[in-house]
Amino acid sequence: MIPYGRQDISDDDIAAVVDVLRSDFLTQGPVVPQFEAAVATYVGAAHACAVNSATSALHVACMALDLGPGDRLWTVPNTFVASANVGIYCGAEVDFVDITADTYLMCPDALEAKLRAAKATGTLPKVLIPVHFAGQSCDMARIGALAKDYGIRVIEDASHAIGARYRDAPVGNCAHSDIAVFSFHPVKIITTAEGGLATTQDDHLAQRMRLHLSHGVTRETDLMQGPSDGPWYYQQVTLGYNYRMTEMQAALGLSQMSRLDDFVARRNQLAAQYDALLTDLEVGCPAQSADSYSAYHLYPIQVADRARVFSDLRDSGLGVNVHYIPVHLQPFYAARGFARGDFPKAEAYYDHAISIPLYAGLSDADQLTVVNAIKDALAKG
Ligand SMILES: *Cc1c(COP(=O)(O)O)cnc(C)c1O
């Protein structure tokens, strides 16, 4: 089977993990800070906090921004459930902003209209989470400017987008946001098996995320109440979690970082080939903004008869998938008052979406197999 996505593991990656297994530290050693420094340098951020998943990274980001009961978090329906769930973890209310019909990213016009209405009713959100769907950055200049106008904090869900660029600068530099979050799940651009990371330029936010990712415990005397009892002393100053990344995960991530640009270049090459190979077919391809160099986590196509084409592609041995079922239609969120019709662009996109295979290790020959299977499936209709 040709999957829709998969990891690329080299002998160097394996050796790096084995080295850690033979070392003194499996957790809380030197490699996690090395991995954090490598990502911070790559994206041009002052701080990087590695954690055990992007979900945890989004959660510590929300906690660092003081999201709590009585607050609101807005994200898009076209995302993985985690982007919304972190709001619920914090006791906040979750709402959504619809996407554009061509890029499938948060629509700045929809955001502006919703912000104006929310201001009039005193229901502005505290935190906004735009999602760089499929690896393409949202229109962060406009989203960031709107957030500033309305006094809202921004967390970029860049789970799909490490290695991507926006206006010739790396995604994750937080030029238009407070915090950006990456995922290192095996289907994403680089992997640590499970793992995630949050970047920020803000010293205070970085300090707060570090507290929350390890039990709310600190050994830094300037964060303590009163004097230290001695060199053994630590204090718990807030409620945190154990969201730490292990040394094995960080070693894998650090080794993968050296191939990040190659992975993204190959994904772009494959995407350009799909654009060309699918051009004469009854298939909608994802639009790209001139501001964006996508990391191409996904290549989502639009087809008229999605259910049948999806089944035919699965039957022909392709591990196609659908990203995403609109979050507001999940029973958990429907029970909170959302229904079909609330976000029509995300719903219309979902109704026709299929994610076709795209990963750095996909061969040109396998890509042709995919395209021919799509041609056959469409011809049957
Ligand atoms: C994968 C993903 C997440 C969650 O990542 P984990 O590392 O699996 O927790 C969050 N948001 C989006 C958009 C994702 O694709």
Side-chain angles (χ1 to χ4, degrees):
M1 193 186 70
I2 303 175
Y4 85 87
R6 68 158 291 154
Q7 69 277 12
D8 180 304
I9 302 295
S10 70
D11 288 344
D12 283 350
D13 293 342
I14 293 166
V17 174
V18 171
D19 281 350
V20 164
L21 286 168
R22 296 190 199 285
S23 77
D24 291 337
F25 298 101
L26 301 186
T27 185
Q28 295 177 289
V31 187
V32 167
Q34 285 168 24
F35 177 50
E36 291 174 334
V39 177
T41 302
Y42 181 91
V43 303
H47 305 278
C49 301
V51 285
N52 58 3
S53 73
T55 306
S56 302
L58 290 166
H59 190 195
V60 295
C62 286
M63 288 188 286
L65 293 170
D66 253 331
L67 186 72
D71 294 328
R72 292 175 182 78
L73 176 150
W74 291 2
T75 186
V76 281
N78 185 35
T79 186
F80 185 56
V81 293
S83 318
N85 287 347
V86 292
I88 309 287
Y89 294 170
C90 292
E93 236 178 81
V94 169
D95 201 352
F96 304 91
V97 179
D98 211 351
I99 59 173
T100 72
D102 59 346
T103 62
Y104 324 136
L105 300 168
M106 179 179 278
C107 174
D109 292 332
L111 174 63
E112 186 166 9
K114 195 171 174 106
L115 285 169
R116 206 179 304 119
K119 187 171 185 186
T121 54
T123 55
L124 283 169
K126 180 181 266 185
V127 170
L128 180 70
I129 305 189
V131 177
H132 301 329
F133 175 72
Q136 175 171 214
S137 175
C138 298
D139 182 351
M140 287 309 299
R142 247 191 98 192
I143 291 171
L146 282 168
K148 199 160 269 172
D149 284 352
Y150 285 88
I152 294 159
R153 312 303 292 268
V154 178
I155 303 168
E156 296 173 70
D157 186 342
S159 289
H160 300 181
I162 194 164
R165 299 178 71 81
Y166 173 71
R167 296 194 172 176
D168 261 341
V171 167
N173 70 353
C174 301
H176 308 280
S177 68
D178 296 285
I179 296 168
V181 165
F182 298 117
S183 173
F184 308 125
H185 181 279
V187 296
K188 308 283 165 76
I189 311 296
I190 63 167
T191 191
T192 62
E194 298 283 358
L197 181 142
T199 59
T200 184
Q201 303 289 9
D202 185 304
D203 299 350
H204 178 67
L205 289 178
Q207 196 176 55
R208 287 184 50 91
M209 289 196 288
R210 287 208 184 282
L211 271 180
H212 286 289
L213 72 84
S214 194
H215 307 284
V217 158
T218 185
R219 290 177 182 276
E220 290 179 40
T221 45
D222 60 319
L223 292 177
M224 292 182 185
Q225 295 173 17
S228 167
D229 287 358
W232 65 88
Y233 193 61
Y234 60 82
Q235 267 188 359
Q236 185 192 344
V237 296
T238 186
L239 183 63
Y241 295 77
N242 181 353
Y243 282 167
R244 293 188 305 262
M245 177 178 277
T246 68
E247 292 282 284
M248 290 84 77
Q249 291 169 304
L252 179 54
L254 185 60
S255 181
Q256 293 252 306
M257 277 299 286
S258 66
R259 306 206 302 295
L260 171 57
D261 287 341
D262 295 340
F263 289 159
V264 174
R266 175 62 179 160
R267 285 173 175 275
N268 271 271
Q269 183 183 36
L270 287 162
Q273 289 171 184
Y274 271 139
D275 290 346
L277 291 163
L278 298 172
T279 190
D280 292 329
L281 304 181
E282 293 289 303
V283 163
C285 295
Q288 300 297 307
S289 150
D291 284 337
S292 161
Y293 173 68
S294 177
Y296 272 112
H297 166 51
L298 299 172
Y299 195 93
I301 61 170
Q302 293 271 289
V303 295
D305 193 359
R306 193 268 307 277
R308 188 191 55 77
V309 172
F310 185 94
S311 298
D312 284 355
L313 293 178
R314 277 279 174 96
D315 290 346
S316 59
L318 302 187
V320 290
N321 223 312
V322 172
H323 303 90
Y324 285 98
I325 303 158
V327 176
H328 69 284
L329 300 181
Q330 296 290 352
F332 178 82
Y333 286 95
R336 289 169 182 262
F338 297 102
R340 194 166 253 276
D342 288 348
F343 304 100
K345 299 246 169 49
E347 293 161 16
Y349 159 76
Y350 163 65
D351 288 343
H352 299 282
I354 300 179
S355 297
I356 62 176
L358 181 63
Y359 47 94
L362 182 68
S363 68
D364 287 352
D366 279 351
Q367 185 178 34
L368 280 179
T369 303
V370 173
V371 170
N372 287 328
I374 294 169
K375 280 183 183 160
D376 290 348
L378 292 173
K380 272 201 233 163

Coordinates of all heavy atoms in Angstrom, one line a residue, residues 5-73:
G5 N 1.0 9.4 4.0 CA 2.2 10.1 4.6 C 3.0 9.0 5.4 O 2.4 8.1 5.8
R6 N 4.3 9.2 5.4 CA 5.1 8.3 6.3 C 6.5 9.0 6.6 O 6.9 9.9 5.9 CB 5.3 7.0 5.7 CG 6.2 6.9 4.5 CD 6.7 5.4 4.3 NE 7.7 5.1 5.4 CZ 8.0 3.9 5.8 NH1 7.3 2.9 5.4 NH2 8.9 3.8 6.7
Q7 N 7.1 8.5 7.7 CA 8.4 9.0 8.1 C 9.5 8.6 7.2 O 9.3 7.6 6.5 CB 8.6 8.6 9.6 CG 8.9 7.1 9.7 CD 7.6 6.3 9.8 OE1 6.5 6.7 9.5 NE2 7.8 5.0 10.2
D8 N 10.6 9.3 7.3 CA 11.8 8.9 6.6 C 12.9 8.8 7.6 O 13.4 9.8 8.2 CB 12.1 10.0 5.5 CG 13.4 9.7 4.7 OD1 14.5 9.5 5.3 OD2 13.3 9.7 3.5
I9 N 13.4 7.6 7.9 CA 14.4 7.3 9.0 C 15.7 6.8 8.3 O 15.7 5.8 7.6 CB 13.8 6.3 10.0 CG1 12.5 6.7 10.6 CG2 14.9 6.0 11.1 CD1 12.6 8.0 11.4
S10 N 16.8 7.5 8.6 CA 18.1 7.2 8.0 C 18.9 6.4 9.1 O 18.6 6.3 10.3 CB 18.8 8.4 7.6 OG 19.2 9.1 8.8
D11 N 20.0 5.8 8.6 CA 20.9 5.1 9.5 C 21.5 6.1 10.6 O 21.7 5.7 11.7 CB 22.1 4.5 8.7 CG 21.6 3.2 8.0 OD1 20.5 2.7 8.2 OD2 22.3 2.8 7.0
D12 N 21.7 7.3 10.1 CA 22.2 8.3 11.1 C 21.2 8.6 12.2 O 21.5 8.8 13.4 CB 22.5 9.7 10.4 CG 23.8 9.6 9.6 OD1 24.6 8.6 9.8 OD2 24.1 10.5 8.8
D13 N 19.9 8.6 11.8 CA 18.8 8.8 12.8 C 18.9 7.7 13.8 O 18.8 8.0 15.0 CB 17.4 8.8 12.1 CG 17.2 10.0 11.2 OD1 17.9 11.0 11.3 OD2 16.2 9.9 10.4
I14 N 19.0 6.5 13.3 CA 19.0 5.3 14.2 C 20.2 5.4 15.2 O 20.1 5.2 16.4 CB 19.0 4.0 13.4 CG1 17.6 3.9 12.7 CG2 19.2 2.8 14.3 CD1 17.6 2.9 11.6
A15 N 21.4 5.7 14.6 CA 22.6 5.8 15.4 C 22.5 6.9 16.5 O 22.9 6.7 17.6 CB 23.8 6.1 14.5
A16 N 21.8 8.0 16.1 CA 21.7 9.1 17.1 C 20.8 8.6 18.3 O 21.1 8.9 19.5 CB 21.1 10.3 16.5
V17 N 19.8 7.9 18.0 CA 18.9 7.4 19.1 C 19.6 6.3 19.9 O 19.6 6.3 21.2 CB 17.6 6.8 18.5 CG1 16.7 6.2 19.6 CG2 16.8 7.9 17.8
V18 N 20.4 5.4 19.3 CA 21.1 4.4 20.0 C 22.2 5.0 20.9 O 22.4 4.6 22.0 CB 21.8 3.4 19.0 CG1 22.7 2.4 19.7 CG2 20.7 2.6 18.3
D19 N 22.9 6.1 20.4 CA 23.9 6.8 21.2 C 23.2 7.3 22.5 O 23.8 7.1 23.6 CB 24.4 8.0 20.5 CG 25.5 7.6 19.5 OD1 25.9 6.5 19.5 OD2 25.8 8.5 18.7
V20 N 22.0 7.8 22.5 CA 21.4 8.3 23.7 C 21.1 7.1 24.6 O 21.3 7.2 25.8 CB 20.1 9.0 23.4 CG1 19.2 9.1 24.6 CG2 20.4 10.4 22.8
L21 N 20.6 6.0 24.0 CA 20.3 4.8 24.9 C 21.5 4.3 25.6 O 21.4 3.7 26.7 CB 19.7 3.7 24.0 CG 18.3 3.9 23.5 CD1 17.9 3.0 22.4 CD2 17.3 3.8 24.7
R22 N 22.7 4.5 25.1 CA 23.9 4.0 25.7 C 24.5 5.1 26.6 O 25.5 4.9 27.3 CB 25.0 3.7 24.7 CG 24.7 2.5 23.8 CD 25.8 2.1 23.0 NE 25.4 1.3 21.8 CZ 25.1 0.0 21.9 NH1 25.0 -0.6 23.1 NH2 24.7 -0.7 20.8
S23 N 23.9 6.3 26.7 CA 24.4 7.4 27.5 C 23.8 7.4 28.9 O 23.1 6.6 29.3 CB 24.1 8.8 26.8 OG 22.7 9.1 27.0
D24 N 24.2 8.4 29.7 CA 23.8 8.5 31.1 C 22.3 9.0 31.2 O 21.7 8.7 32.3 CB 24.7 9.5 31.8 CG 26.1 9.0 32.0 OD1 26.3 7.7 31.9 OD2 27.0 9.8 32.2
F25 N 21.8 9.7 30.2 CA 20.5 10.3 30.4 C 19.5 9.8 29.3 O 19.7 10.0 28.2 CB 20.6 11.8 30.3 CG 21.4 12.4 31.4 CD1 22.8 12.8 31.1 CD2 21.0 12.6 32.7 CE1 23.6 13.3 32.1 CE2 21.8 13.1 33.7 CZ 23.1 13.5 33.4
L26 N 18.3 9.3 29.8 CA 17.3 9.0 28.8 C 16.2 10.2 28.8 O 15.4 10.3 27.9 CB 16.6 7.7 29.2 CG 17.5 6.5 29.2 CD1 16.6 5.2 29.4 CD2 18.3 6.4 27.9
T27 N 16.2 10.9 29.9 CA 15.4 12.1 30.0 C 16.1 13.2 30.8 O 17.0 12.9 31.5 CB 14.0 11.8 30.6 OG1 13.2 12.9 30.6 CG2 14.1 11.3 32.1
Q28 N 15.8 14.5 30.5 CA 16.4 15.6 31.2 C 17.9 15.6 31.1 O 18.6 16.0 32.1 CB 15.9 15.6 32.7 CG 14.4 15.9 32.7 CD 13.8 15.8 34.1 OE1 13.8 14.7 34.8 NE2 13.4 16.9 34.7
G29 N 18.4 15.3 29.9 CA 19.8 15.4 29.7 C 20.1 16.5 28.7 O 19.4 17.4 28.6
P30 N 21.3 16.4 28.0 CA 21.7 17.5 27.1 C 21.1 17.6 25.8 O 21.2 18.6 25.1 CB 23.2 17.2 27.0 CG 23.3 15.7 27.1 CD 22.3 15.3 28.1
V31 N 20.4 16.5 25.3 CA 20.0 16.5 23.9 C 18.7 17.3 23.6 O 18.6 18.0 22.6 CB 19.8 15.1 23.4 CG1 19.6 15.1 21.8 CG2 21.1 14.2 23.6
V32 N 17.8 17.3 24.6 CA 16.6 18.1 24.4 C 17.0 19.6 24.2 O 16.5 20.2 23.3 CB 15.6 17.9 25.6 CG1 14.5 19.0 25.6 CG2 15.0 16.5 25.5
P33 N 17.8 20.2 25.1 CA 18.2 21.6 24.8 C 18.9 21.8 23.5 O 18.8 22.8 22.9 CB 19.2 21.9 26.0 CG 18.8 20.9 27.1 CD 18.3 19.7 26.4
Q34 N 19.7 20.8 23.1 CA 20.4 20.9 21.7 C 19.3 20.9 20.6 O 19.4 21.7 19.7 CB 21.3 19.7 21.5 CG 22.6 19.8 22.2 CD 23.4 18.4 22.2 OE1 23.2 17.6 21.3 NE2 24.2 18.2 23.2
F35 N 18.3 20.1 20.7 CA 17.2 20.0 19.7 C 16.5 21.4 19.7 O 16.2 22.0 18.7 CB 16.3 18.9 20.0 CG 15.1 18.8 19.1 CD1 15.3 18.8 17.7 CD2 13.8 18.6 19.6 CE1 14.2 18.7 16.8 CE2 12.7 18.5 18.7 CZ 12.9 18.6 17.4
E36 N 16.2 21.9 20.9 CA 15.5 23.1 21.1 C 16.3 24.3 20.4 O 15.8 25.1 19.7 CB 15.2 23.5 22.5 CG 14.2 22.6 23.2 CD 14.0 22.8 24.7 OE1 15.0 23.3 25.3 OE2 13.0 22.5 25.2
A37 N 17.6 24.3 20.7 CA 18.5 25.3 20.1 C 18.5 25.2 18.6 O 18.5 26.2 17.9 CB 19.9 25.2 20.7
A38 N 18.5 24.0 18.0 CA 18.6 23.8 16.6 C 17.3 24.3 15.9 O 17.4 25.0 14.9 CB 18.7 22.3 16.2
V39 N 16.1 24.1 16.5 CA 14.9 24.6 15.9 C 14.8 26.1 16.1 O 14.4 26.8 15.2 CB 13.7 23.9 16.6 CG1 12.4 24.5 16.0 CG2 13.7 22.4 16.3
A40 N 15.2 26.6 17.3 CA 15.1 28.0 17.5 C 16.0 28.8 16.5 O 15.6 29.8 15.9 CB 15.6 28.4 19.0
T41 N 17.2 28.3 16.3 CA 18.1 28.9 15.3 C 17.5 28.8 13.9 O 17.5 29.8 13.1 CB 19.5 28.2 15.3 OG1 20.0 28.3 16.7 CG2 20.4 28.8 14.4
Y42 N 17.0 27.6 13.6 CA 16.4 27.4 12.2 C 15.3 28.4 11.9 O 15.3 29.0 10.8 CB 15.9 26.0 12.1 CG 15.4 25.7 10.7 CD1 16.2 25.2 9.7 CD2 14.0 25.9 10.4 CE1 15.7 25.0 8.4 CE2 13.5 25.7 9.1 CZ 14.4 25.2 8.1 OH 13.9 25.0 6.9
V43 N 14.4 28.6 12.9 CA 13.2 29.5 12.6 C 13.5 30.9 13.0 O 12.7 31.8 12.7 CB 11.9 29.0 13.3 CG1 11.6 27.6 12.8 CG2 12.0 29.1 14.8
G44 N 14.6 31.2 13.7 CA 14.8 32.6 14.1 C 14.0 33.0 15.3 O 13.5 34.2 15.3
A45 N 13.8 32.1 16.2 CA 13.1 32.5 17.5 C 14.0 32.5 18.6 O 15.0 31.8 18.7 CB 12.0 31.4 17.7
A46 N 13.7 33.3 19.6 CA 14.6 33.5 20.8 C 14.5 32.2 21.7 O 15.4 31.8 22.3 CB 14.2 34.7 21.6
H47 N 13.3 31.6 21.7 CA 13.1 30.4 22.6 C 12.4 29.3 21.8 O 11.5 29.5 21.0 CB 12.2 30.8 23.7 CG 12.7 32.0 24.5 ND1 13.7 31.9 25.5 CD2 12.4 33.3 24.4 CE1 13.9 33.1 26.0 NE2 13.2 34.0 25.4
A48 N 12.7 28.1 22.2 CA 12.0 26.9 21.7 C 11.8 25.9 22.9 O 12.8 25.6 23.6 CB 12.8 26.2 20.6
C49 N 10.6 25.5 23.2 CA 10.3 24.6 24.3 C 9.8 23.3 23.7 O 8.7 23.2 23.1 CB 9.2 25.1 25.2 SG 9.6 26.7 25.9
A50 N 10.6 22.2 23.8 CA 10.2 20.9 23.3 C 9.3 20.2 24.3 O 9.5 20.3 25.5 CB 11.4 20.0 23.0
V51 N 8.3 19.5 23.8 CA 7.3 18.8 24.6 C 7.0 17.4 23.9 O 7.5 17.1 22.9 CB 6.0 19.6 24.9 CG1 6.3 20.7 25.9 CG2 5.5 20.2 23.6
N52 N 6.1 16.7 24.6 CA 5.8 15.3 24.1 C 4.8 15.2 23.0 O 4.5 14.1 22.5 CB 5.5 14.4 25.3 CG 4.3 14.9 26.1 OD1 3.6 15.9 25.7 ND2 3.9 14.2 27.1
S53 N 4.2 16.3 22.6 CA 3.3 16.3 21.5 C 3.0 17.8 21.1 O 3.1 18.7 22.0 CB 2.0 15.6 21.7 OG 1.1 16.3 22.6
A54 N 2.5 18.0 19.9 CA 2.0 19.3 19.6 C 0.8 19.7 20.4 O 0.5 20.9 20.7 CB 1.7 19.4 18.1
T55 N 0.0 18.7 20.7 CA -1.2 19.0 21.6 C -0.7 19.6 22.9 O -1.3 20.6 23.4 CB -2.0 17.7 21.8 OG1 -2.3 17.1 20.6 CG2 -3.3 17.9 22.6
S56 N 0.3 19.0 23.5 CA 0.9 19.5 24.8 C 1.4 20.9 24.5 O 1.3 21.8 25.4 CB 2.0 18.6 25.3 OG 1.5 17.3 25.5
A57 N 2.1 21.1 23.4 CA 2.6 22.5 23.1 C 1.5 23.5 23.0 O 1.7 24.6 23.5 CB 3.4 22.4 21.8
L58 N 0.4 23.2 22.3 CA -0.7 24.1 22.3 C -1.3 24.3 23.7 O -1.7 25.5 24.0 CB -1.8 23.5 21.4 CG -1.5 23.5 19.9 CD1 -2.5 22.6 19.1 CD2 -1.5 24.9 19.3
H59 N -1.3 23.3 24.5 CA -1.9 23.4 25.9 C -1.0 24.4 26.7 O -1.5 25.3 27.4 CB -2.0 22.1 26.5 CG -2.8 22.1 27.8 ND1 -2.8 21.0 28.7 CD2 -3.6 23.0 28.4 CE1 -3.5 21.3 29.8 NE2 -4.0 22.5 29.6
V60 N 0.4 24.1 26.7 CA 1.2 25.0 27.5 C 1.2 26.4 27.0 O 1.3 27.4 27.7 CB 2.7 24.5 27.6 CG1 2.7 23.2 28.4 CG2 3.4 24.4 26.3
A61 N 1.0 26.6 25.6 CA 0.9 27.9 25.0 C -0.3 28.6 25.6 O -0.2 29.8 26.0 CB 0.9 27.8 23.5
C62 N -1.4 27.9 25.6 CA -2.7 28.5 26.1 C -2.5 28.9 27.6 O -3.0 29.9 28.1 CB -3.9 27.6 25.9 SG -4.4 27.4 24.2
M63 N -1.9 28.0 28.4 CA -1.7 28.3 29.8 C -0.8 29.5 30.0 O -1.0 30.3 30.9 CB -1.2 27.0 30.5 CG -2.2 25.9 30.7 SD -1.7 24.6 31.7 CE -0.6 23.7 30.6
A64 N 0.3 29.6 29.2 CA 1.2 30.7 29.3 C 0.5 32.0 29.0 O 0.8 33.0 29.6 CB 2.4 30.5 28.3
L65 N -0.5 31.9 28.1 CA -1.3 33.1 27.8 C -2.5 33.3 28.8 O -3.3 34.2 28.5 CB -1.8 33.1 26.4 CG -0.7 33.1 25.3 CD1 -1.3 32.8 23.9 CD2 0.0 34.5 25.3
D66 N -2.5 32.5 29.8 CA -3.5 32.7 30.9 C -5.0 32.4 30.4 O -5.9 33.0 30.9 CB -3.5 34.1 31.4 CG -2.9 34.1 32.8 OD1 -3.0 33.1 33.5 OD2 -2.3 35.1 33.2
L67 N -5.1 31.5 29.5 CA -6.5 31.2 29.0 C -7.2 30.4 30.1 O -6.6 29.4 30.6 CB -6.4 30.4 27.7 CG -7.8 30.0 27.0 CD1 -8.3 31.3 26.4 CD2 -7.6 28.9 26.0
G68 N -8.4 30.8 30.5 CA -9.1 30.1 31.6 C -10.6 30.2 31.4 O -11.1 30.7 30.4
P69 N -11.3 29.8 32.5 CA -12.8 29.9 32.5 C -13.2 31.3 32.2 O -12.6 32.2 32.8 CB -13.1 29.4 33.9 CG -12.0 28.5 34.3 CD -10.8 29.1 33.7
G70 N -14.3 31.4 31.4 CA -14.8 32.8 31.1 C -14.1 33.3 29.9 O -14.6 34.3 29.3
D71 N -13.0 32.7 29.4 CA -12.3 33.2 28.2 C -12.8 32.4 27.0 O -13.5 31.4 27.1 CB -10.8 33.0 28.3 CG -10.2 33.9 29.4 OD1 -10.7 35.0 29.6 OD2 -9.2 33.4 30.0
R72 N -12.5 32.9 25.8 CA -12.8 32.3 24.6 C -11.6 32.0 23.7 O -10.7 32.8 23.7 CB -13.8 33.1 23.7 CG -15.1 33.3 24.4 CD -16.1 34.2 23.7 NE -17.3 34.3 24.4 CZ -17.5 35.1 25.5 NH1 -16.5 35.8 25.9 NH2 -18.6 35.1 26.1
L73 N -11.6 30.9 23.0 CA -10.6 30.5 22.1 C -11.2 30.3 20.7 O -12.2 29.6 20.6 CB -9.8 29.3 22.5 CG -8.7 28.7 21.5 CD1 -7.6 28.0 22.3 CD2 -9.3 27.8 20.5

